């Protein structure tokens, strides 16, 4: 287990995104840059999103699942910021959630 601090913290608010969540997480975890932590903030989802976050957190030590009652994406991002330990922060967006934009990619 790597106990050093990650270079990048990626914060992705999640709300009722079970249809796209696996693809989103895969797009982050498969990047060539691997020194990151991924904070998935489940914002009171009523679908399986929270469970999916937990499953990924169990499989990959870089992933942290955070759960809160629904408060909106700003509150979810703030919850992620409170737990982030990376030198740099990336705030995930709806584009990342649909897996259309790879992030943290090194050429």
């Amino acid at each position: 287990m790597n106990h050093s601090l990650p270079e990048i913290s990626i914060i992705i608010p999640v709300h009722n995104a079970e249809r796209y969540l696996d693809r989103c997480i895969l797009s982050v975890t498969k990047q060539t840059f691997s020194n990151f932590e991924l904070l998935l903030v489940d914002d009171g989802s009523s679908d399986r999103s929270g469970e999916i976050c937990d499953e990924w957190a169990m499989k990959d030590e870089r992933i942290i699942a955070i759960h809160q009652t629904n408060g909106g994406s700003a509150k979810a991002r703030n919850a992620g910021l409170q737990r982030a330990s990376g030198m740099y922060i990336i705030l995930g967006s709806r584009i990342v959630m649909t897996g259309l934009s790879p992030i943290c990619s090194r050429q």
Side-chain angles (χ1 to χ4, degrees):
M1 180 184 266
N2 183 0
H3 293 288
S4 63
L5 294 177
E7 189 172 353
I8 297 173
S9 293
I10 304 165
I11 300 168
I12 299 179
V14 175
H15 183 73
N16 293 337
E18 72 176 323
R19 183 173 170 199
Y20 304 103
L21 192 52
D22 280 322
R23 188 169 73 174
C24 169
I25 297 168
L26 272 172
S27 74
V28 175
T29 59
K30 296 298 183 189
Q31 298 299 314
T32 57
F33 182 86
S34 62
N35 187 11
F36 65 84
E37 66 179 354
L38 174 59
L39 297 106
L40 301 169
V41 186
D42 175 37
D43 190 35
S45 295
S46 58
D47 64 3
R48 288 196 62 250
S49 294
E51 296 170 43
I52 294 168
C53 292
D54 289 338
E55 290 167 5
W56 275 96
M58 294 293 291
K59 291 192 287 190
D60 190 323
E61 67 181 12
R62 300 172 298 176
I63 298 175
I64 299 167
I66 301 168
H67 302 276
Q68 65 179 30
T69 58
N70 184 259
S73 60
K75 186 175 178 184
R77 284 186 190 98
N78 286 337
L81 285 169
Q82 289 177 351
R83 293 277 305 272
S85 60
M87 293 174 22
Y88 303 99
I89 304 289
I90 294 175
L91 298 175
S93 67
R94 193 163 189 85
I95 293 172
V96 174
M97 284 301 300
T98 59
L100 298 176
S101 174
I103 57 178
C104 300
S105 181
R106 285 201 172 152
Q107 299 295 324

